[in-house]
Amino acid sequence: MSAISKIDLWQVLDSRGMPTVSARVSLGNKSANAIAPSGASTGAHEALFLRDNKESYDGKSVSETIALFTKEVLPHLIGIDGNDFAELDKNLRNYDSSRTFSKFGGHIPVAITIAAWLANAKEKNAEPFKVIADRLNSTPTLPLPMVNIFSGGAHAGGAIDLQDILAVPIGATSIEEAMEWVWLVRESTKSLLSKSGHDQSLVADEGGVTARLQSDEQALQFVSDGIAKAGLSGKVAIALDIAATQSFQGDHYQIHESGNIKKLSSEQFVSRWGKWLDIYPIISVEDGAAEDDNDGWKQQSEYCDRIQIIGDDRYATQNDRLVSGIANLEANTILIKPNQAGTLHSALTALTTAKGSNWGTVVSARSGDTEESWLVDLAVGSNAGQIKVGSTHRSERSAKWNRLLELSHFATASYIGKAALSHVKNLNI
Ligand code: 2PG
Ligand code: MG
């Protein structure tokens, strides 16, 4: 037992300059900080990020919720065993019992529970990943990275509809080689875009390249050509985050092509990207249908043998939503974002359920992230297999890759590589 002796909460800024919360949890004479990330393409089922909607920071501040939480909840958390993630989760939910933490928001509980884990590691004089590995009884493993190359959607002012086109270095045998390969793909894609007259002086929210193109498929072609130009065909594959919830208009999807708006039925929307699987080296599709479009999810399940079908908004790192997805055989992989769940314990519960059903797990950052790198320790310690933190560019992204490279340098764990995709029977490459 290691009782929480103090918790401090204060307002800081994330990578998009948006106010967020930082927590410091003290266990005995050890303390650690954690900052809550936030998304742009948030789903209806995830824990809320509540902003004050007052004058401060043009309505975006979080200081009022912090003050309210500090008054109403914090005193009740003092004395709780900070090593007991489940107990901390239970106590936090006592004061905000809705699944989405609608009273105080999920940003405060996630910052507190992550900080408690990190303080716990300091107390034990152990690396944070080791604490997670011991907790889950798992073998620490360096994950296969999924790296953003081209951004669109909510991460790039709607340059194209697709949110992310990512590179997956399936042929690399070390994390060092994997990082160099995806870096080369980004450079060659950028140079192809530049040569075609698309200004490349700016980067998107997650550090990816972007351009206002005629269609999603044109962007896909650029990345595919970028892989070939880098001499990495067959060694680097493509993953898509379609973020379909963003294109869904209640009963149809709306996309842009050659300057025109097109309305697509659920069936047409899924078939549209389904055809790309025969043309491009796509091995993974995230949120290929909107979060509550059950027909779309049923239709895309036919691709489970060829690619990873990942649920992000669909499951929102919520265990019960995942359990139904597993029962429906509608996908084979879950994205794990701690702030969607609202607490570390809940995120680990979903991750454990997924692994227990031979589903893939991809630990993911948010588009509004921070300079912290605990996400890597979470992925390594839980043997998640895969990690997605955006591009190689921008410090909040490189902070995570650099932690991964640090763990590799000190031979902390072995690199999983392509084996992370062993839950897909006949990989589409
Ligand atoms: C996603 C994430 C990260 P956001 O959709 O997977 O890329 O984006 O944080 O905006 O939800
Ligand atoms: Mg997503």
Side-chain angles (χ1 to χ4, degrees):
M1 158 105 186
S2 190
I4 294 178
S5 50
K6 195 166 186 277
I7 299 177
D8 290 285
L9 299 173
W10 66 101
Q11 180 171 284
V12 294
L13 301 177
D14 72 14
S15 60
R16 281 193 291 235
M18 294 291 270
T20 184
V21 60
S22 184
R24 174 173 297 174
V25 172
S26 303
L27 303 178
N29 62 358
K30 299 287 181 196
S31 60
N33 296 1
I35 305 175
S38 72
S41 65
T42 48
H45 306 290
E46 65 177 271
L48 297 172
F49 194 110
L50 292 183
R51 301 197 177 273
D52 296 337
N53 291 320
K54 296 280 170 61
E55 274 174 24
S56 177
Y57 278 93
D58 202 20
K60 305 291 193 306
S61 65
V62 295
S63 44
E64 291 209 6
T65 18
I66 291 178
L68 192 67
F69 188 94
T70 303
K71 186 164 156 257
E72 293 192 13
V73 186
L74 264 195
H76 305 285
L77 301 178
I78 306 303
I80 288 176
D81 185 356
N83 290 346
D84 190 336
F85 299 168
E87 188 62 15
L88 191 50
D89 176 283
K90 198 175 103 198
N91 275 277
L92 283 157
R93 289 182 194 277
N94 266 348
Y95 299 94
D96 196 348
S97 57
S98 66
R99 162 211 290 278
T100 56
F101 286 98
S102 56
K103 196 165 170 199
F104 302 105
H107 50 306
I108 300 179
V110 83
I112 290 177
T113 56
I114 299 282
W117 154 42
L118 301 177
N120 187 214
K122 281 192 181 168
E123 259 198 319
K124 293 185 166 135
N125 202 18
E127 295 275 9
F129 74 84
K130 188 80 178 56
V131 172
I132 296 287
D134 289 348
R135 206 56 75 97
L136 301 182
N137 203 12
S138 52
T139 308
T141 311
L142 303 178
L144 174 69
M146 194 183 264
V147 183
N148 178 289
I149 302 295
F150 193 107
S151 294
H155 295 171
I160 56 167
D161 292 312
L162 267 181
Q163 183 174 282
D164 298 297
I165 303 177
L166 307 105
V168 187
I170 48 167
T173 53
S174 68
I175 192 70
E176 288 77 9
E177 189 174 42
M179 293 315 296
E180 184 186 353
W181 285 6
V182 295
W183 185 92
L184 289 169
V185 170
R186 189 186 186 283
E187 286 302 301
S188 52
T189 305
K190 183 177 164 183
S191 115
L192 290 173
L193 284 161
S194 217
K195 278 192 194 128
S196 308
H198 300 287
D199 179 26
Q200 288 301 296
S201 48
L202 303 175
V203 299
D205 276 2
E206 297 196 1
V209 302
T210 188
R212 275 193 196 281
L213 301 180
Q214 292 299 307
S215 66
D216 289 346
E217 196 171 353
Q218 200 189 351
L220 196 45
Q221 188 66 56
F222 267 113
V223 176
S224 190
D225 292 347
I227 294 173
K229 184 173 188 285
L232 292 166
S233 300
K235 295 177 170 175
V236 174
I238 290 176
L240 304 178
D241 183 358
I242 295 186
T245 308
Q246 301 284 312
S247 305
F248 198 55
Q249 304 289 322
D251 60 352
H252 68 276
Y253 290 86
Q254 188 170 293
I255 56 146
H256 301 80
E257 261 176 27
S258 310
N260 300 315
I261 293 179
K262 274 193 178 174
K263 283 184 176 183
L264 301 181
S265 67
S266 174
E267 200 268 324
Q268 289 168 323
F269 186 83
V270 173
S271 305
R272 173 175 170 263
W273 63 254
K275 288 190 196 116
W276 297 340
L277 304 185
D278 297 326
I279 310 170
Y280 306 98
I282 297 171
I283 51 133
S284 179
V285 170
E286 177 180 332
D287 282 354
E291 57 196 357
D292 293 319
D293 175 11
N294 294 332
D295 293 341
W297 278 87
K298 193 165 180 201
Q299 188 186 337
Q300 64 173 338
S301 67
E302 71 179 87
Y303 302 123
C304 278
D305 281 355
R306 288 169 74 188
I307 60 168
Q308 277 198 134
I309 294 285
I310 309 180
D312 172 12
D313 291 348
R314 176 74 167 174
Y315 306 128
T317 319
Q318 309 275 343
N319 196 54
D320 55 347
R321 295 186 62 80
L322 170 65
V323 168
S324 331
I326 293 171
N328 293 340
L329 304 173
E330 64 185 22
N332 55 21
T333 306
I334 182 174
L335 206 72
I336 299 288
K337 291 169 165 169
N339 80 316
Q340 277 184 329
T343 70
L344 176 61
H345 173 72
S346 302
L348 291 177
T349 305
L351 185 140
T352 306
T353 299
K355 286 178 84 69
S357 297
N358 194 30
W359 272 38
T361 52
V362 184
V363 167
S364 172
R366 299 307 305 248
S367 51
D369 218 274
T370 79
E371 63 274 24
E372 297 180 342
S373 60
W374 46 260
L375 193 82
V376 171
D377 285 75
L378 184 60
V380 170
S382 64
N383 186 11
Q386 297 172 74
I387 188 164
K388 174 179 116 161
V389 304
S391 175
T392 42
H393 292 44
R394 291 184 56 137
S395 305
E396 78 280 5
R397 313 289 149 188
S398 52
K400 277 98 173 153
W401 300 128
N402 290 346
R403 172 67 175 156
L404 206 45
L405 290 164
E406 178 189 355
L407 294 183
S408 175
H409 179 78
F410 288 101
T412 298
S414 57
Y415 175 58
I416 191 167
K418 196 178 169 188
L421 299 165
S422 60
H423 56 291
V424 184
K425 270 194 215 134
N426 306 304
L427 206 58
N428 191 42
I429 193 157

